[in-house]
Amino acid sequence: MSPYLDPRTASAVIDLDAFATNIETLRTHVAPTAVMVVVKADAYGHGMVECARVAREAGAEWLGVATPEEALALRGAGDRGRLLAWLYGPDTDLGPLVAADVDLSAQSPEQITRVAGSAASLDRRARVHLKIDTGLSRNGATAADWPQVCAAARHAEQLGRLEVVGIWSHLAAADEPGAASVAAQQQAFEAAYEIAREAGLTPSLRHLSNSAGALLLPQQDFDLVRVGIAAYGIDPDVGVAALAGVRLRPVMRLRAQLAQVKVVEPGVGVSYGHTWHTERSTLLGLVPLGYGDGIPRHAGNTGEVGRRGGRAPIRGRICMDQFVIELGDPSTPAEVGDEITVFGPGDHGEPTAADWAAWCGTIGYEIVTRIGGRVPRIYHRGEERDHG
Ligand SMILES: Cc1ncc(COP(=O)(O)O)c(C=O)c1O
């Protein structure tokens, strides 16, 4: 969707300096392990092309995306660095990815045959990372299928059509210190690596950890960590970054101008379904963002926004394009055009994405990633103008 919204009315302000600093912090934390910055899903809502460029400047050796289309968009935007794409369907033509020098994940003999076939038709050798399911039970080969996957990959290597450069997996509970699954997954990963070696493969890259793993589990860094949410300045879970002794700065500030300010009498129902009624004569403000822009409807009557160094509560249901906040008694200074912050770094008393996640029973990942295409992204480096 195009950003069909006047950026003065509402926008997501993306602090690229904070993004670069978070990446530098994470690189220092895991050094000498290399870092892959995950920029899938439009860089978790922050804007893939801009974030990818800054990630490279900040020293990211790798970028990671889910879909082939994301990978090709990055190549189209001029990115030439190491790039892994890991999720594609049975009908996807892998040729353009091999031609664009994108590393591909494969987890079955069928996928290996397809990658090798694409490479053959281009007279090239594709680079592959074999994915083992070590316990997340999401994608990846099962332990039972793994020897067959390794054998198929080795056969394709011998035909000169691909090179297995990596083996990888994904953790189920890296954000839960002490979770039994973490050690079990590490063991299964190491066993899978040995089986790959016995099959004659020589992958130089083993990667298992996401942000939480990179922050908390240095023994699981292996050769590469894949960090997403921490790079965007959001804790994978409450307290994880603090436990690791790492400070992260949220990168996205979602802000808007009040589109209307009005005094409403006591006892008046507000927004669809009249789920909230004014208790006294009060001043209401209209925020021109709604669930059509990714504002969670669950925040109705629950969430807050930042305004003039304080907070204003959301009253009534969130609508598709707008929601209502209570500004205070009718004498409260307020006017159309006043700046509000839906969420941000928290510097000016405004809520953070983590606060919104807590109010809505979700995770910070979802709060930022769901901010829709209608909302313009405004990129800045250096100090943002003070927004009170
Ligand atoms: C396969 C894979 N690796 C790494 C990541 C990054 O995870 P996080 O954002 O928790 O760092 C993701 C994100 O969901 C993923 O799907």
PDB file of all heavy atoms in Angstrom, residues 239-276:
ATOM      1  N   GLY A 239      13.256  -7.433  30.068  1.00  0.00           N
ATOM      2  CA  GLY A 239      14.430  -7.695  30.908  1.00  0.00           C
ATOM      3  C   GLY A 239      15.574  -8.415  30.227  1.00  0.00           C
ATOM      4  O   GLY A 239      16.641  -8.574  30.828  1.00  0.00           O
ATOM      5  N   VAL A 240      15.394  -8.856  28.992  1.00  0.00           N
ATOM      6  CA  VAL A 240      16.448  -9.642  28.337  1.00  0.00           C
ATOM      7  C   VAL A 240      17.692  -8.789  28.088  1.00  0.00           C
ATOM      8  O   VAL A 240      18.814  -9.177  28.424  1.00  0.00           O
ATOM      9  CB  VAL A 240      15.928 -10.269  27.021  1.00  0.00           C
ATOM     10  CG1 VAL A 240      17.075 -10.832  26.190  1.00  0.00           C
ATOM     11  CG2 VAL A 240      14.918 -11.366  27.331  1.00  0.00           C
ATOM     12  N   ALA A 241      17.505  -7.603  27.513  1.00  0.00           N
ATOM     13  CA  ALA A 241      18.664  -6.749  27.209  1.00  0.00           C
ATOM     14  C   ALA A 241      19.373  -6.343  28.501  1.00  0.00           C
ATOM     15  O   ALA A 241      20.606  -6.350  28.571  1.00  0.00           O
ATOM     16  CB  ALA A 241      18.229  -5.524  26.417  1.00  0.00           C
ATOM     17  N   ALA A 242      18.600  -6.023  29.539  1.00  0.00           N
ATOM     18  CA  ALA A 242      19.206  -5.620  30.814  1.00  0.00           C
ATOM     19  C   ALA A 242      20.018  -6.769  31.402  1.00  0.00           C
ATOM     20  O   ALA A 242      21.129  -6.560  31.898  1.00  0.00           O
ATOM     21  CB  ALA A 242      18.107  -5.189  31.792  1.00  0.00           C
ATOM     22  N   LEU A 243      19.491  -7.976  31.305  1.00  0.00           N
ATOM     23  CA  LEU A 243      20.213  -9.150  31.808  1.00  0.00           C
ATOM     24  C   LEU A 243      21.539  -9.318  31.072  1.00  0.00           C
ATOM     25  O   LEU A 243      22.534  -9.751  31.654  1.00  0.00           O
ATOM     26  CB  LEU A 243      19.328 -10.385  31.591  1.00  0.00           C
ATOM     27  CG  LEU A 243      19.616 -11.634  32.407  1.00  0.00           C
ATOM     28  CD1 LEU A 243      19.567 -11.349  33.891  1.00  0.00           C
ATOM     29  CD2 LEU A 243      18.597 -12.732  32.050  1.00  0.00           C
ATOM     30  N   ALA A 244      21.543  -8.954  29.805  1.00  0.00           N
ATOM     31  CA  ALA A 244      22.767  -9.069  28.998  1.00  0.00           C
ATOM     32  C   ALA A 244      23.684  -7.860  29.193  1.00  0.00           C
ATOM     33  O   ALA A 244      24.783  -7.827  28.642  1.00  0.00           O
ATOM     34  CB  ALA A 244      22.395  -9.218  27.529  1.00  0.00           C
ATOM     35  N   GLY A 245      23.203  -6.854  29.918  1.00  0.00           N
ATOM     36  CA  GLY A 245      23.994  -5.642  30.124  1.00  0.00           C
ATOM     37  C   GLY A 245      24.098  -4.793  28.862  1.00  0.00           C
ATOM     38  O   GLY A 245      25.091  -4.092  28.656  1.00  0.00           O
ATOM     39  N   VAL A 246      23.054  -4.846  28.045  1.00  0.00           N
ATOM     40  CA  VAL A 246      23.074  -4.130  26.771  1.00  0.00           C
ATOM     41  C   VAL A 246      21.960  -3.082  26.764  1.00  0.00           C
ATOM     42  O   VAL A 246      20.835  -3.364  27.175  1.00  0.00           O
ATOM     43  CB  VAL A 246      22.878  -5.143  25.608  1.00  0.00           C
ATOM     44  CG1 VAL A 246      22.499  -4.453  24.319  1.00  0.00           C
ATOM     45  CG2 VAL A 246      24.149  -5.969  25.413  1.00  0.00           C
ATOM     46  N   ARG A 247      22.309  -1.893  26.298  1.00  0.00           N
ATOM     47  CA  ARG A 247      21.282  -0.833  26.175  1.00  0.00           C
ATOM     48  C   ARG A 247      20.881  -0.704  24.712  1.00  0.00           C
ATOM     49  O   ARG A 247      21.743  -0.526  23.841  1.00  0.00           O
ATOM     50  CB  ARG A 247      21.844   0.509  26.645  1.00  0.00           C
ATOM     51  CG  ARG A 247      21.838   0.654  28.160  1.00  0.00           C
ATOM     52  CD  ARG A 247      22.458   1.989  28.545  1.00  0.00           C
ATOM     53  NE  ARG A 247      21.601   3.106  28.151  1.00  0.00           N
ATOM     54  CZ  ARG A 247      20.671   3.623  28.943  1.00  0.00           C
ATOM     55  NH1 ARG A 247      20.488   3.154  30.140  1.00  0.00           N
ATOM     56  NH2 ARG A 247      19.946   4.643  28.532  1.00  0.00           N
ATOM     57  N   LEU A 248      19.595  -0.768  24.468  1.00  0.00           N
ATOM     58  CA  LEU A 248      19.077  -0.642  23.098  1.00  0.00           C
ATOM     59  C   LEU A 248      18.175   0.577  23.048  1.00  0.00           C
ATOM     60  O   LEU A 248      17.529   0.922  24.044  1.00  0.00           O
ATOM     61  CB  LEU A 248      18.264  -1.885  22.731  1.00  0.00           C
ATOM     62  CG  LEU A 248      19.007  -3.219  22.794  1.00  0.00           C
ATOM     63  CD1 LEU A 248      18.032  -4.374  22.676  1.00  0.00           C
ATOM     64  CD2 LEU A 248      20.063  -3.287  21.686  1.00  0.00           C
ATOM     65  N   ARG A 249      18.122   1.207  21.896  1.00  0.00           N
ATOM     66  CA  ARG A 249      17.266   2.390  21.758  1.00  0.00           C
ATOM     67  C   ARG A 249      16.209   2.142  20.693  1.00  0.00           C
ATOM     68  O   ARG A 249      16.552   1.846  19.531  1.00  0.00           O
ATOM     69  CB  ARG A 249      18.124   3.600  21.380  1.00  0.00           C
ATOM     70  CG  ARG A 249      17.312   4.861  21.284  1.00  0.00           C
ATOM     71  CD  ARG A 249      18.154   6.109  21.256  1.00  0.00           C
ATOM     72  NE  ARG A 249      17.300   7.257  20.983  1.00  0.00           N
ATOM     73  CZ  ARG A 249      16.522   7.862  21.897  1.00  0.00           C
ATOM     74  NH1 ARG A 249      16.520   7.438  23.136  1.00  0.00           N
ATOM     75  NH2 ARG A 249      15.765   8.894  21.556  1.00  0.00           N
ATOM     76  N   PRO A 250      14.922   2.267  21.046  1.00  0.00           N
ATOM     77  CA  PRO A 250      13.874   2.075  20.043  1.00  0.00           C
ATOM     78  C   PRO A 250      14.060   2.987  18.832  1.00  0.00           C
ATOM     79  O   PRO A 250      14.389   4.171  18.976  1.00  0.00           O
ATOM     80  CB  PRO A 250      12.585   2.409  20.801  1.00  0.00           C
ATOM     81  CG  PRO A 250      12.904   2.091  22.226  1.00  0.00           C
ATOM     82  CD  PRO A 250      14.353   2.498  22.393  1.00  0.00           C
ATOM     83  N   VAL A 251      13.843   2.448  17.656  1.00  0.00           N
ATOM     84  CA  VAL A 251      14.142   3.147  16.407  1.00  0.00           C
ATOM     85  C   VAL A 251      12.903   3.859  15.855  1.00  0.00           C
ATOM     86  O   VAL A 251      13.015   4.892  15.209  1.00  0.00           O
ATOM     87  CB  VAL A 251      14.705   2.123  15.387  1.00  0.00           C
ATOM     88  CG1 VAL A 251      14.870   2.726  14.003  1.00  0.00           C
ATOM     89  CG2 VAL A 251      16.045   1.555  15.890  1.00  0.00           C
ATOM     90  N   MET A 252      11.725   3.322  16.137  1.00  0.00           N
ATOM     91  CA  MET A 252      10.506   3.909  15.544  1.00  0.00           C
ATOM     92  C   MET A 252       9.765   4.773  16.556  1.00  0.00           C
ATOM     93  O   MET A 252       9.556   4.371  17.691  1.00  0.00           O
ATOM     94  CB  MET A 252       9.552   2.804  15.058  1.00  0.00           C
ATOM     95  CG  MET A 252       8.298   3.363  14.371  1.00  0.00           C
ATOM     96  SD  MET A 252       7.043   2.112  13.960  1.00  0.00           S
ATOM     97  CE  MET A 252       7.818   1.169  12.686  1.00  0.00           C
ATOM     98  N   ARG A 253       9.378   5.988  16.095  1.00  0.00           N
ATOM     99  CA  ARG A 253       8.453   6.821  16.883  1.00  0.00           C
ATOM    100  C   ARG A 253       7.231   7.045  16.000  1.00  0.00           C
ATOM    101  O   ARG A 253       7.338   7.595  14.904  1.00  0.00           O
ATOM    102  CB  ARG A 253       9.085   8.164  17.245  1.00  0.00           C
ATOM    103  CG  ARG A 253       8.187   9.003  18.144  1.00  0.00           C
ATOM    104  CD  ARG A 253       8.915  10.218  18.698  1.00  0.00           C
ATOM    105  NE  ARG A 253       8.973  11.315  17.743  1.00  0.00           N
ATOM    106  CZ  ARG A 253       8.023  12.243  17.600  1.00  0.00           C
ATOM    107  NH1 ARG A 253       6.942  12.201  18.356  1.00  0.00           N
ATOM    108  NH2 ARG A 253       8.163  13.214  16.723  1.00  0.00           N
ATOM    109  N   LEU A 254       6.081   6.591  16.461  1.00  0.00           N
ATOM    110  CA  LEU A 254       4.841   6.784  15.713  1.00  0.00           C
ATOM    111  C   LEU A 254       4.150   8.004  16.289  1.00  0.00           C
ATOM    112  O   LEU A 254       3.870   8.041  17.490  1.00  0.00           O
ATOM    113  CB  LEU A 254       3.957   5.542  15.833  1.00  0.00           C
ATOM    114  CG  LEU A 254       2.664   5.567  15.037  1.00  0.00           C
ATOM    115  CD1 LEU A 254       2.942   5.589  13.534  1.00  0.00           C
ATOM    116  CD2 LEU A 254       1.791   4.361  15.387  1.00  0.00           C
ATOM    117  N   ARG A 255       3.920   9.006  15.434  1.00  0.00           N
ATOM    118  CA  ARG A 255       3.376  10.271  15.938  1.00  0.00           C
ATOM    119  C   ARG A 255       2.276  10.761  15.006  1.00  0.00           C
ATOM    120  O   ARG A 255       2.144  10.314  13.869  1.00  0.00           O
ATOM    121  CB  ARG A 255       4.478  11.321  16.099  1.00  0.00           C
ATOM    122  CG  ARG A 255       5.547  11.448  15.044  1.00  0.00           C
ATOM    123  CD  ARG A 255       5.193  12.161  13.743  1.00  0.00           C
ATOM    124  NE  ARG A 255       4.461  13.408  13.904  1.00  0.00           N
ATOM    125  CZ  ARG A 255       3.729  13.948  12.955  1.00  0.00           C
ATOM    126  NH1 ARG A 255       3.642  13.344  11.746  1.00  0.00           N
ATOM    127  NH2 ARG A 255       3.096  15.089  13.151  1.00  0.00           N
ATOM    128  N   ALA A 256       1.490  11.668  15.552  1.00  0.00           N
ATOM    129  CA  ALA A 256       0.398  12.251  14.756  1.00  0.00           C
ATOM    130  C   ALA A 256       0.057  13.629  15.313  1.00  0.00           C
ATOM    131  O   ALA A 256       0.444  13.971  16.430  1.00  0.00           O
ATOM    132  CB  ALA A 256      -0.832  11.343  14.815  1.00  0.00           C
ATOM    133  N   GLN A 257      -0.650  14.378  14.479  1.00  0.00           N
ATOM    134  CA  GLN A 257      -1.210  15.656  14.943  1.00  0.00           C
ATOM    135  C   GLN A 257      -2.665  15.424  15.322  1.00  0.00           C
ATOM    136  O   GLN A 257      -3.372  14.687  14.610  1.00  0.00           O
ATOM    137  CB  GLN A 257      -1.202  16.682  13.807  1.00  0.00           C
ATOM    138  CG  GLN A 257       0.162  17.173  13.394  1.00  0.00           C
ATOM    139  CD  GLN A 257       0.039  18.095  12.187  1.00  0.00           C
ATOM    140  OE1 GLN A 257      -0.712  17.813  11.246  1.00  0.00           O
ATOM    141  NE2 GLN A 257       0.777  19.187  12.212  1.00  0.00           N
ATOM    142  N   LEU A 258      -3.116  16.052  16.380  1.00  0.00           N
ATOM    143  CA  LEU A 258      -4.549  15.947  16.695  1.00  0.00           C
ATOM    144  C   LEU A 258      -5.359  16.549  15.546  1.00  0.00           C
ATOM    145  O   LEU A 258      -5.061  17.649  15.069  1.00  0.00           O
ATOM    146  CB  LEU A 258      -4.865  16.680  18.000  1.00  0.00           C
ATOM    147  CG  LEU A 258      -4.366  16.007  19.270  1.00  0.00           C
ATOM    148  CD1 LEU A 258      -4.770  16.839  20.495  1.00  0.00           C
ATOM    149  CD2 LEU A 258      -4.914  14.583  19.397  1.00  0.00           C
ATOM    150  N   ALA A 259      -6.362  15.800  15.092  1.00  0.00           N
ATOM    151  CA  ALA A 259      -7.171  16.257  13.964  1.00  0.00           C
ATOM    152  C   ALA A 259      -8.410  17.021  14.415  1.00  0.00           C
ATOM    153  O   ALA A 259      -9.044  17.724  13.630  1.00  0.00           O
ATOM    154  CB  ALA A 259      -7.592  15.059  13.115  1.00  0.00           C
ATOM    155  N   GLN A 260      -8.745  16.857  15.706  1.00  0.00           N
ATOM    156  CA  GLN A 260      -9.883  17.598  16.258  1.00  0.00           C
ATOM    157  C   GLN A 260      -9.744  17.648  17.780  1.00  0.00           C
ATOM    158  O   GLN A 260      -9.189  16.728  18.383  1.00  0.00           O
ATOM    159  CB  GLN A 260     -11.210  16.911  15.896  1.00  0.00           C
ATOM    160  CG  GLN A 260     -12.415  17.772  16.242  1.00  0.00           C
ATOM    161  CD  GLN A 260     -13.740  17.064  15.987  1.00  0.00           C
ATOM    162  OE1 GLN A 260     -13.789  15.863  15.806  1.00  0.00           O
ATOM    163  NE2 GLN A 260     -14.805  17.838  15.997  1.00  0.00           N
ATOM    164  N   VAL A 261     -10.227  18.746  18.344  1.00  0.00           N
ATOM    165  CA  VAL A 261     -10.258  18.883  19.804  1.00  0.00           C
ATOM    166  C   VAL A 261     -11.635  19.426  20.148  1.00  0.00           C
ATOM    167  O   VAL A 261     -12.078  20.394  19.531  1.00  0.00           O
ATOM    168  CB  VAL A 261      -9.161  19.876  20.282  1.00  0.00           C
ATOM    169  CG1 VAL A 261      -9.300  20.167  21.763  1.00  0.00           C
ATOM    170  CG2 VAL A 261      -7.764  19.322  19.981  1.00  0.00           C
ATOM    171  N   LYS A 262     -12.339  18.777  21.093  1.00  0.00           N
ATOM    172  CA  LYS A 262     -13.665  19.310  21.430  1.00  0.00           C
ATOM    173  C   LYS A 262     -14.063  18.971  22.857  1.00  0.00           C
ATOM    174  O   LYS A 262     -13.636  17.945  23.402  1.00  0.00           O
ATOM    175  CB  LYS A 262     -14.722  18.810  20.451  1.00  0.00           C
ATOM    176  CG  LYS A 262     -14.967  17.335  20.475  1.00  0.00           C
ATOM    177  CD  LYS A 262     -15.971  16.960  19.382  1.00  0.00           C
ATOM    178  CE  LYS A 262     -16.077  15.450  19.240  1.00  0.00           C
ATOM    179  NZ  LYS A 262     -16.739  15.063  18.007  1.00  0.00           N
ATOM    180  N   VAL A 263     -14.905  19.850  23.406  1.00  0.00           N
ATOM    181  CA  VAL A 263     -15.441  19.635  24.754  1.00  0.00           C
ATOM    182  C   VAL A 263     -16.716  18.819  24.608  1.00  0.00           C
ATOM    183  O   VAL A 263     -17.565  19.106  23.758  1.00  0.00           O
ATOM    184  CB  VAL A 263     -15.739  20.983  25.450  1.00  0.00           C
ATOM    185  CG1 VAL A 263     -16.393  20.746  26.816  1.00  0.00           C
ATOM    186  CG2 VAL A 263     -14.460  21.796  25.599  1.00  0.00           C
ATOM    187  N   VAL A 264     -16.830  17.779  25.447  1.00  0.00           N
ATOM    188  CA  VAL A 264     -18.010  16.921  25.408  1.00  0.00           C
ATOM    189  C   VAL A 264     -18.631  16.901  26.802  1.00  0.00           C
ATOM    190  O   VAL A 264     -17.918  16.896  27.809  1.00  0.00           O
ATOM    191  CB  VAL A 264     -17.609  15.497  24.935  1.00  0.00           C
ATOM    192  CG1 VAL A 264     -18.796  14.564  24.956  1.00  0.00           C
ATOM    193  CG2 VAL A 264     -17.025  15.549  23.529  1.00  0.00           C
ATOM    194  N   GLU A 265     -19.947  16.858  26.833  1.00  0.00           N
ATOM    195  CA  GLU A 265     -20.695  16.909  28.103  1.00  0.00           C
ATOM    196  C   GLU A 265     -20.581  15.591  28.866  1.00  0.00           C
ATOM    197  O   GLU A 265     -20.222  14.573  28.281  1.00  0.00           O
ATOM    198  CB  GLU A 265     -22.171  17.212  27.810  1.00  0.00           C
ATOM    199  CG  GLU A 265     -22.383  18.600  27.221  1.00  0.00           C
ATOM    200  CD  GLU A 265     -21.688  19.674  28.047  1.00  0.00           C
ATOM    201  OE1 GLU A 265     -21.928  19.723  29.270  1.00  0.00           O
ATOM    202  OE2 GLU A 265     -20.874  20.443  27.484  1.00  0.00           O
ATOM    203  N   PRO A 266     -20.905  15.581  30.166  1.00  0.00           N
ATOM    204  CA  PRO A 266     -20.865  14.324  30.936  1.00  0.00           C
ATOM    205  C   PRO A 266     -21.869  13.310  30.398  1.00  0.00           C
ATOM    206  O   PRO A 266     -22.906  13.678  29.850  1.00  0.00           O
ATOM    207  CB  PRO A 266     -21.270  14.741  32.355  1.00  0.00           C
ATOM    208  CG  PRO A 266     -21.177  16.227  32.388  1.00  0.00           C
ATOM    209  CD  PRO A 266     -21.310  16.732  30.986  1.00  0.00           C
ATOM    210  N   GLY A 267     -21.522  12.020  30.532  1.00  0.00           N
ATOM    211  CA  GLY A 267     -22.469  10.944  30.197  1.00  0.00           C
ATOM    212  C   GLY A 267     -22.583  10.644  28.721  1.00  0.00           C
ATOM    213  O   GLY A 267     -23.511   9.948  28.300  1.00  0.00           O
ATOM    214  N   VAL A 268     -21.667  11.132  27.932  1.00  0.00           N
ATOM    215  CA  VAL A 268     -21.741  10.923  26.471  1.00  0.00           C
ATOM    216  C   VAL A 268     -20.951   9.665  26.099  1.00  0.00           C
ATOM    217  O   VAL A 268     -19.825   9.466  26.548  1.00  0.00           O
ATOM    218  CB  VAL A 268     -21.166  12.164  25.740  1.00  0.00           C
ATOM    219  CG1 VAL A 268     -20.998  11.900  24.257  1.00  0.00           C
ATOM    220  CG2 VAL A 268     -22.056  13.372  25.985  1.00  0.00           C
ATOM    221  N   GLY A 269     -21.540   8.812  25.260  1.00  0.00           N
ATOM    222  CA  GLY A 269     -20.841   7.611  24.787  1.00  0.00           C
ATOM    223  C   GLY A 269     -19.819   7.986  23.731  1.00  0.00           C
ATOM    224  O   GLY A 269     -20.065   8.863  22.888  1.00  0.00           O
ATOM    225  N   VAL A 270     -18.655   7.322  23.750  1.00  0.00           N
ATOM    226  CA  VAL A 270     -17.556   7.677  22.837  1.00  0.00           C
ATOM    227  C   VAL A 270     -17.196   6.485  21.954  1.00  0.00           C
ATOM    228  O   VAL A 270     -16.996   5.375  22.445  1.00  0.00           O
ATOM    229  CB  VAL A 270     -16.315   8.133  23.648  1.00  0.00           C
ATOM    230  CG1 VAL A 270     -15.095   8.298  22.747  1.00  0.00           C
ATOM    231  CG2 VAL A 270     -16.613   9.451  24.365  1.00  0.00           C
ATOM    232  N   SER A 271     -17.128   6.739  20.682  1.00  0.00           N
ATOM    233  CA  SER A 271     -16.707   5.801  19.628  1.00  0.00           C
ATOM    234  C   SER A 271     -17.710   4.636  19.511  1.00  0.00           C
ATOM    235  O   SER A 271     -18.681   4.532  20.273  1.00  0.00           O
ATOM    236  CB  SER A 271     -15.275   5.309  19.864  1.00  0.00           C
ATOM    237  OG  SER A 271     -14.787   4.657  18.711  1.00  0.00           O
ATOM    238  N   TYR A 272     -17.435   3.755  18.505  1.00  0.00           N
ATOM    239  CA  TYR A 272     -18.382   2.672  18.197  1.00  0.00           C
ATOM    240  C   TYR A 272     -18.753   1.868  19.439  1.00  0.00           C
ATOM    241  O   TYR A 272     -17.891   1.502  20.239  1.00  0.00           O
ATOM    242  CB  TYR A 272     -17.767   1.699  17.193  1.00  0.00           C
ATOM    243  CG  TYR A 272     -17.631   2.237  15.791  1.00  0.00           C
ATOM    244  CD1 TYR A 272     -16.413   2.177  15.142  1.00  0.00           C
ATOM    245  CD2 TYR A 272     -18.722   2.781  15.112  1.00  0.00           C
ATOM    246  CE1 TYR A 272     -16.260   2.644  13.836  1.00  0.00           C
ATOM    247  CE2 TYR A 272     -18.588   3.257  13.817  1.00  0.00           C
ATOM    248  CZ  TYR A 272     -17.356   3.190  13.181  1.00  0.00           C
ATOM    249  OH  TYR A 272     -17.220   3.647  11.907  1.00  0.00           O
ATOM    250  N   GLY A 273     -20.019   1.586  19.553  1.00  0.00           N
ATOM    251  CA  GLY A 273     -20.504   0.723  20.637  1.00  0.00           C
ATOM    252  C   GLY A 273     -20.611   1.412  21.980  1.00  0.00           C
ATOM    253  O   GLY A 273     -21.071   0.812  22.942  1.00  0.00           O
ATOM    254  N   HIS A 274     -20.192   2.695  22.021  1.00  0.00           N
ATOM    255  CA  HIS A 274     -20.257   3.456  23.289  1.00  0.00           C
ATOM    256  C   HIS A 274     -19.709   2.643  24.454  1.00  0.00           C
ATOM    257  O   HIS A 274     -20.359   2.497  25.488  1.00  0.00           O
ATOM    258  CB  HIS A 274     -21.703   3.887  23.584  1.00  0.00           C
ATOM    259  CG  HIS A 274     -22.150   5.011  22.707  1.00  0.00           C
ATOM    260  ND1 HIS A 274     -23.446   5.476  22.713  1.00  0.00           N
ATOM    261  CD2 HIS A 274     -21.484   5.757  21.787  1.00  0.00           C
ATOM    262  CE1 HIS A 274     -23.566   6.466  21.844  1.00  0.00           C
ATOM    263  NE2 HIS A 274     -22.396   6.649  21.254  1.00  0.00           N
ATOM    264  N   THR A 275     -18.507   2.103  24.271  1.00  0.00           N
ATOM    265  CA  THR A 275     -17.919   1.283  25.348  1.00  0.00           C
ATOM    266  C   THR A 275     -17.331   2.134  26.459  1.00  0.00           C
ATOM    267  O   THR A 275     -16.870   1.608  27.468  1.00  0.00           O
ATOM    268  CB  THR A 275     -16.816   0.355  24.782  1.00  0.00           C
ATOM    269  OG1 THR A 275     -15.839   1.176  24.145  1.00  0.00           O
ATOM    270  CG2 THR A 275     -17.389  -0.637  23.782  1.00  0.00           C
ATOM    271  N   TRP A 276     -17.308   3.445  26.268  1.00  0.00           N
ATOM    272  CA  TRP A 276     -16.855   4.360  27.332  1.00  0.00           C
ATOM    273  C   TRP A 276     -17.738   5.602  27.308  1.00  0.00           C
ATOM    274  O   TRP A 276     -18.155   6.055  26.232  1.00  0.00           O
ATOM    275  CB  TRP A 276     -15.376   4.750  27.114  1.00  0.00           C
ATOM    276  CG  TRP A 276     -14.816   5.574  28.236  1.00  0.00           C
ATOM    277  CD1 TRP A 276     -14.354   5.114  29.434  1.00  0.00           C
ATOM    278  CD2 TRP A 276     -14.685   7.001  28.281  1.00  0.00           C
ATOM    279  NE1 TRP A 276     -13.931   6.157  30.223  1.00  0.00           N
ATOM    280  CE2 TRP A 276     -14.116   7.335  29.541  1.00  0.00           C
ATOM    281  CE3 TRP A 276     -14.984   8.038  27.384  1.00  0.00           C
ATOM    282  CZ2 TRP A 276     -13.860   8.649  29.927  1.00  0.00           C
ATOM    283  CZ3 TRP A 276     -14.721   9.343  27.768  1.00  0.00           C
ATOM    284  CH2 TRP A 276     -14.156   9.649  29.029  1.00  0.00           C
TER     285      TRP A 276
END
